[in-house]
Amino acid sequence: MVSATPERARRWTLPDLDAAVRRCQVQNARGVRCILAALGEYAQSEEQVRENRERSSAAVTAIDEHALEASLTVKMTALGASFDREAARDSLLRLCGEAREHGVGFEVDMEGRGLVETTVEAAIACAREGTAVTLALQTSLDRTPDDLERIVRHGIRPRLVKGVYPADTADLDEVRRRFRALAADLIDRGVPFSAGTHDPDLVAWLLEHPAGTIEFAFLMGLADETKLRLAGEGRAVAEYVPFGERATIYLARREAYLARLAAEGRAPVP
């Protein structure tokens, strides 16, 4: 995989863990929690998996040592799910255990639909070991309402996202409707969840509800004004902070997201 140029990466990613720690310290002082993500999805070898696992493990240690208000998030393909799902699950459980031992929050990102079941099962296994887990679920998938019920039963906090991977519907109005329906159900039941969206309509709708159980999760490189405003208003806010050199695929998704919004004549929250 070709590494992204510094110019392309500057907005969306940071070069290494040290930079991610510094970013998190600044954001924490502003009332914003961080979600650290070691880049390296779609690992194609055991060596790449080992490197990814080590960088995630180092992030757990750094969060603890620097007393950061932060969690670690991982992707199953960074742990080798593209070629060995059982080994990827074992690696996730290992990182999950390290996070638990250090008192660090642990999150799992969702990827393409072919990996949804594997990812949900791995997150549930992690939760069964006593770790507080957050799992991203994509409202663009038909199966998500059932997955949501499964993970809530196991005490896993959902991070609702619209989804950037190929899905069951490409109708963005329908995806927004599904997002609101799932979020409304969680709000009504008092279930804590994270809302990972920059959609101005969804953010405005969520802000109509009491702070309580909702955390607003935004990407580094977007919504900087909104992050600080909401944090200043006492809302729970998190920023997704990816770091590392293997950023090409991640950057392509970010650029595709902005292009998709532009095609709709829309823009993310400022």
Side-chain angles (χ1 to χ4, degrees), residues 83-158:
F83 62 90
D84 190 337
R85 296 190 180 191
E86 189 63 30
R89 179 183 182 276
D90 291 344
S91 289
L92 184 137
L93 291 177
R94 176 175 166 183
L95 287 170
C96 169
E98 291 179 17
R100 182 174 61 254
E101 291 171 5
H102 285 270
V104 170
F106 190 75
E107 308 198 19
V108 184
D109 288 333
M110 189 58 73
E111 299 176 84
R113 80 176 92 193
L115 280 170
V116 173
E117 186 63 26
T118 296
T119 305
V120 170
E121 289 179 350
I124 290 173
C126 180
R128 282 176 172 157
E129 293 190 351
T131 302
V133 182
T134 295
L135 174 65
L137 293 178
Q138 302 171 93
T139 62
S140 54
L141 294 177
D142 293 344
R143 62 175 289 164
T144 293
D146 291 336
D147 288 332
L148 184 60
E149 287 306 304
R150 288 173 67 193
I151 70 168
V152 168
R153 285 199 304 270
H154 287 88
I156 296 173
R157 186 181 72 143

Side-chain angles (χ1 to χ4, degrees), residues 14-58:
L14 295 172
D16 52 37
L17 178 57
D18 288 343
V21 167
R22 292 192 296 271
R23 171 80 181 190
C24 191
Q25 288 171 328
V26 170
Q27 293 299 73
N28 284 178
R30 295 168 169 169
V32 176
R33 187 178 79 83
C34 291
I35 305 168
L36 300 190
L39 293 166
E41 59 195 290
Y42 298 114
Q44 296 299 315
S45 68
E46 292 182 2
E47 180 181 1
Q48 287 180 351
V49 169
R50 177 182 55 78
E51 291 172 353
N52 290 339
R53 190 172 58 236
E54 289 175 353
R55 289 187 298 119
S56 289
S57 180

